[in-house]
Amino acid sequence: MTDGRAHNPLVAATDMTRDELLEQLTKLLPAQFDGVLFRVKVPPEHLSASSAPQATRATEVIRYLEPQNRLPELARAIEYVITRQHAGATSPETATAAAPPRAQLTREAHRSQTRAPLVVAAATGAAALALLVLMVWSAPMLVRVGLTGHVWYVLLLLLGLFAAVTVFSLFKSYARYRGKVLGGTLELGGPVVVMLLVIVLGFRLVPGPAQRFNLTVFLHGKAGRQAVVLRNHGKVSLDLGADKRVEAVGDKGEARFAGIPGDLRDREVALGLDDDTYELVQPAPTIRLDQEAVYAAIQARQLPLSGDVADDQARPLPGARAVIGTATAVTDQNGHFEFKLPADLPEGDRSITITAPGYEPWRGQVVPGGNALRVRLSRSPESK
């Protein structure tokens, strides 16, 4: 007994084996093959280009539908297109001329779907390149505002999408991942696997953000680093861009700054001192954040002291001499004098003596930066 299926082109859909389906697909006319593709809806990215041998494309159709248990559906689609051929055409030429309008629409849709991934790949590639240029040229600004991680994440998304579209559309590749997530089974296939791999590896392979670090600023006098002249008084400031830190000076002349962001390491920042009696020797200095301790020299502030000298009739007395320690000032035509005194001037050196020819000397105590003096000198008995 012979198998009737071998002589009957209109094979029952449920009786076709895998090899028979492959043979039927290979023998179909191109228009009929496109009609089958349209009916079973095989995505273009799972097929070779239309210029590839039909046997190759038929094998790809089987491989796509078989894991989904859709081979009976494929058999019915083949039966449908063969039935149309026998009903309305007796030769290959006639069958081609009478090809279903749907098959023609399928070919046009296939060409359109082939171009779409190329457009997406070009757009994402251009966006990724533009973002990479931005990261290179604007790196200091991104570090300063703390956006490096955010921009890198967006760049990875674009690169992942570009890789997925390129690999699976241009090279007709396929990937699948199965794993257990939250007690269930997660199955990922196609471009999403490559996209996720690019993103995950991008974060795993690139070093993480630098750890925070501490910095101690030691203030010392002009005599050297061991000359601690300021204790438990005043405040030191660091200008870290958007984050300005201020710390009090301790009993060793130090100010401790904890938890400085790691991306600021090796940067130069402005250093400031807020104190009534001392100031930094170097105005508006900058320090480099490349070590755990830095030293800054300070000096006593130079505070003004002024006064006016007049005679016993309240007339300005020019040429009078004012002496404080080793500092001397002479009054001008208006009887005015000025000093610049260190803020840490010892108490024993804060006495002032004012003399003028023919007048009695005047002595008193002064405070650097204090109120202006108003002094009247009385004539000496010898000059009367």
Side-chain angles (χ1 to χ4, degrees):
M1 177 179 288
T2 59
D3 188 354
R5 295 180 304 171
H7 303 286
N8 184 9
L10 305 180
V11 194
T14 56
D15 293 339
M16 279 192 176
T17 65
R18 184 184 189 279
D19 293 339
E20 289 174 338
L21 288 173
L22 181 59
E23 181 181 1
Q24 290 284 349
L25 279 176
T26 305
K27 291 181 178 180
L28 290 177
L29 297 174
Q32 294 174 327
F33 188 84
D34 289 340
V36 172
L37 293 182
F38 176 79
R39 296 191 67 83
V40 297
K41 296 180 174 57
V42 178
E45 59 264 24
H46 294 283
L47 298 176
S48 300
S50 57
S51 58
Q54 187 163 311
T56 301
R57 304 185 75 203
T59 302
E60 293 170 344
V61 171
I62 298 292
R63 288 179 179 175
Y64 175 76
L65 296 176
E66 189 174 20
Q68 306 175 37
N69 296 321
R70 294 176 58 193
L71 292 185
E73 179 184 350
L74 175 62
R76 288 191 293 271
I78 295 174
E79 181 182 17
Y80 175 81
V81 297
I82 293 178
T83 301
R84 288 182 63 91
Q85 173 190 355
H86 282 270
T90 58
S91 67
E93 292 77 13
T94 307
T96 303
R102 287 187 176 180
Q104 298 176 3
L105 295 176
T106 301
R107 289 195 297 271
E108 295 178 0
H110 179 73
R111 287 193 294 267
S112 176
Q113 292 176 354
T114 303
R115 289 193 298 267
L118 297 178
V119 175
V120 174
T124 54
L129 180 60
L131 199 58
L132 184 60
V133 172
L134 173 66
M135 291 188 67
V136 172
W137 287 97
S138 304
M141 183 270 293
L142 294 176
V143 171
R144 186 165 57 251
V145 299
L147 289 180
T148 50
H150 300 75
V151 176
W152 177 243
Y153 179 74
V154 176
L155 179 60
L156 284 180
L157 287 176
L158 292 174
L159 289 176
L161 182 58
F162 174 75
V165 174
T166 302
V167 170
F168 291 96
S169 296
L170 301 184
F171 300 104
K172 303 299 180 183
S173 300
Y174 184 75
R176 186 179 298 276
Y177 166 78
R178 294 184 181 182
K180 293 183 178 180
V181 177
L182 300 178
T185 300
L186 174 66
E187 181 175 339
L188 302 177
V192 67
V193 175
V194 168
M195 184 173 179
L196 291 178
L197 283 177
V198 170
I199 295 175
V200 172
L201 291 179
F203 276 105
R204 294 294 297 271
L205 298 180
V206 174
Q211 295 183 350
R212 293 176 176 268
F213 63 96
N214 302 329
L215 174 71
T216 303
V217 178
F218 290 96
L219 305 176
H220 60 85
K222 291 183 177 180
R225 293 183 176 182
Q226 303 303 321
V228 180
V229 295
L230 182 62
R231 303 173 187 268
N232 299 319
H233 193 270
K235 295 181 179 180
V236 178
S237 63
L238 284 182
D239 189 356
L240 303 179
D243 182 15
K244 185 172 183 179
R245 302 284 188 89
V246 178
E247 297 292 342
V249 178
D251 59 353
K252 297 180 180 179
E254 85 288 356
R256 301 183 184 276
F257 296 86
I260 298 177
D263 55 4
L264 296 180
R265 189 177 291 276
D266 293 330
R267 282 185 54 187
E268 289 191 354
V269 299
L271 177 70
L273 174 62
D274 182 14
D275 186 69
D276 295 334
T277 56
Y278 285 90
E279 63 185 359
L280 294 167
V281 173
Q282 179 183 358
T286 59
I287 59 174
R288 181 175 292 277
L289 303 179
D290 57 354
Q291 48 192 348
E292 295 182 354
V294 296
Y295 295 83
I298 60 175
Q299 63 185 4
R301 287 182 177 274
Q302 297 296 310
L303 302 179
L305 176 69
S306 62
D308 295 288
V309 181
D311 60 15
D312 50 7
Q313 296 183 4
R315 293 175 298 191
L317 192 60
R321 183 180 297 272
V323 178
I324 301 177
T326 59
T328 301
V330 179
T331 59
D332 57 18
Q333 293 297 323
N334 299 316
H336 183 76
F337 68 88
E338 287 188 1
F339 282 99
K340 287 289 186 180
L341 302 176
D344 61 346
L345 186 67
E347 293 290 339
D349 295 335
R350 294 187 176 187
S351 62
I352 183 174
T353 301
I354 300 177
T355 59
Y359 291 88
E360 292 288 339
W362 182 91
R363 294 179 176 84
Q365 291 294 115
V366 298
V367 176
N371 295 330
L373 300 177
R374 299 288 184 266
V375 178
R376 287 193 178 186
L377 297 184
S378 301
R379 285 189 174 275
S380 61
E382 294 82 3
S383 62
K384 293 182 178 179

